[in-house]
């Protein structure tokens, strides 16, 4: 009996110790989460103070899209209107800084849009992750600005967006310049290790918590390294992260929008890629043969075969950020496309 009583006392003590440890661990987790929330709040305030709105906002159904503008204004003589659409993890300043101001200096009216949920644009629609929905919203904004048809330039993720505009809103598109475009379902399916758990309820909850606690602090710490990976095999240009306002993507709403856009892209392209033969505007596709992010044979080369009359330019040794690392070639192709359009019209 005494042995059993001693055993029960030991068991009760063990339970008390485990309960205390669990309480301490729970308190530590709660404290860490609270610290993450406060850090994210502070980082978001600092980012938005450093990178305030730089252009103007255009009303569309359900909200506003932000746009940067350069070159001759509405009604002034120009060589035409060029619309710049940025890729994932970016905003309108990315293409504007790389090629927009150069095109504006050459006489083009340039409009660079923050895609829905990015930069200073509203997310607007619950289904805004779809390139088709974003194409509708950008087309609405162009109509509000009395623009169209325009030469539409789409980089990376916006290869899907620009082609969706040409297919669904052809009255707004006079030509396509697609830079390292995502255009087709890729081998291996959706984003590895991400899409499967993200769609589950626990996954969505964990992602919601992460975007409001650890994503901004960790992202800020590793931002230069992430940018270096995207620029490979070329080096990261000095001042790129700050000049292109890349930290804006770390805000919780934008971070979540970015992940949702990437998650839905594969399924969208599985449907849209069968329609590329319907694109009826002059198209130039520029890609690098050393792009480690969007594989040129899978996307750019396949797209060039599908779009009637498309011109394909593959730049040797160039990676994904070709609008920065091969600016002369990219601007030359855009201006050449505009010149061919003018000649055909005349």
């Amino acid at each position: 009996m005494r042995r059993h009583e001693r055993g029960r006392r030991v068991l009760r003590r063990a339970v008390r110790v485990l309960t205390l440890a669990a309480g301490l661990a729970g308190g530590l987790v709660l404290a860490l989460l609270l610290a993450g929330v406060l850090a994210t709040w502070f980082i978001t305030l600092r980012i938005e103070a450093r990178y305030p709105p730089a252009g103007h906002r255009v009303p569309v159904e359900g909200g506003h899209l932000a746009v940067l503008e350069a070159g001759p204004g509405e009604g002034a003589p120009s060589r035409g209107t060029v619309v710049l659409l940025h890729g994932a993890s970016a905003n309108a300043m990315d293409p504007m800084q790389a090629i927009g101001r150069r095109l504006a200096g050459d006489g083009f009216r340039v409009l660079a849009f923050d895609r829905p949920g990015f930069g200073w644009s509203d997310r607007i629609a619950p289904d805004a992750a779809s390139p088709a929905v974003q194409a509708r919203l950008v087309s609405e904004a162009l109509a509000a600005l009395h623009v169209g048809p325009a030469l539409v330039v789409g980089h990376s993720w916006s290869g899907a967006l620009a082609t969706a505009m040409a297919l669904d809103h052809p009255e707004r598109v006079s030509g396509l310049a697609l830079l390292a475009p995502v255009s087709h379902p890729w081998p291996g399916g959706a984003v590895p290790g991400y899409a499967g758990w993200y769609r589950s309820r626990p996954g969505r909850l964990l992602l919601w918590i992460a975007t409001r606690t650890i994503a901004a602090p960790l992202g800020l710490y590793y931002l230069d390294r992430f940018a270096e990976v995207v620029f490979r095999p070329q080096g990261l240009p000095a001042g790129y992260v700050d000049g292109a306002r890349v930290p804006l993507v770390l805000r919780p709403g934008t971070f979540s929008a970015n992940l949702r856009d990437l998650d839905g892209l594969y399924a969208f392209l599985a449907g849209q890629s069968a329609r590329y033969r319907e694109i009826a505007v002059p198209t130039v596709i520029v890609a690098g043969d050393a792009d480690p992010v969007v594989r040129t044979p899978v996307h750019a080369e396949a797209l060039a075969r599908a779009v009637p009359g498309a011109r394909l330019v593959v730049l040797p040794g160039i990676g994904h950020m070709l609008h920065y690392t091969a600016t002369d070639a990219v601007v030359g192709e855009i201006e050449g496309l505009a010149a061919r359009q003018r000649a055909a019209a005349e």
Side-chain angles (χ1 to χ4, degrees), residues 109-335:
R109 181 188 182 192
V110 179
L111 302 172
F113 283 92
D114 285 331
R115 294 195 288 104
F118 292 78
W120 290 97
S121 286
D122 301 328
R123 187 59 168 174
I124 301 173
D127 55 351
S130 168
V133 174
Q134 296 194 21
R136 172 177 59 79
L137 295 170
V138 172
S139 297
E140 283 185 27
L142 290 175
L145 293 168
H146 308 290
V147 171
L151 198 164
V152 177
V153 181
H155 174 242
S156 191
W157 191 98
S158 279
L161 169 55
T163 47
M165 287 182 64
L167 288 166
D168 298 338
H169 308 277
E171 73 282 0
R172 296 294 160 197
V173 182
S174 64
L176 289 176
L178 307 173
L179 313 179
V182 175
S183 61
H184 286 75
W186 52 90
V191 182
Y194 162 68
W197 70 263
Y198 167 81
R199 293 191 182 99
S200 67
R201 184 171 295 177
R204 288 182 181 274
L205 176 60
L206 287 174
L207 182 59
W208 186 90
I209 293 172
T211 57
R212 286 155 179 81
T213 54
I214 63 171
L218 288 178
L220 196 62
Y221 182 77
Y222 287 106
L223 205 54
D224 283 344
R225 299 181 208 183
F226 291 152
E228 287 173 358
V229 170
V230 177
F231 270 88
R232 289 176 183 169
Q234 281 71 48
L236 179 66
Y240 166 75
V241 170
D242 189 54
R245 299 179 152 213
V246 178
L248 284 169
V249 78
L250 298 177
R251 297 171 299 168
T254 306
F255 194 92
S256 177
N258 195 41
L259 292 181
R260 289 175 184 271
D261 284 7
L262 292 169
D263 179 42
L265 187 58
Y266 182 90
F268 176 81
L269 292 173
Q272 177 169 275
S273 56
R275 300 178 57 201
Y276 291 143
R277 70 177 78 89
E278 302 170 20
I279 293 177
V281 296
T283 301
V284 63
I285 304 163
V286 189
D289 68 359
D291 188 339
V293 179
V294 177
R295 300 291 181 182
T296 296
V298 175
H299 298 277
E301 293 179 9
L303 184 59
R305 291 191 295 269
V307 175
R311 168 179 165 81
L312 174 65
V313 179
V314 178
L315 304 174
I318 297 298
H320 189 61
M321 299 295 282
L322 68 171
H323 50 317
Y324 280 87
T325 59
T327 305
D328 289 345
V330 169
V331 169
E333 290 299 331
I334 293 172
E335 295 192 351

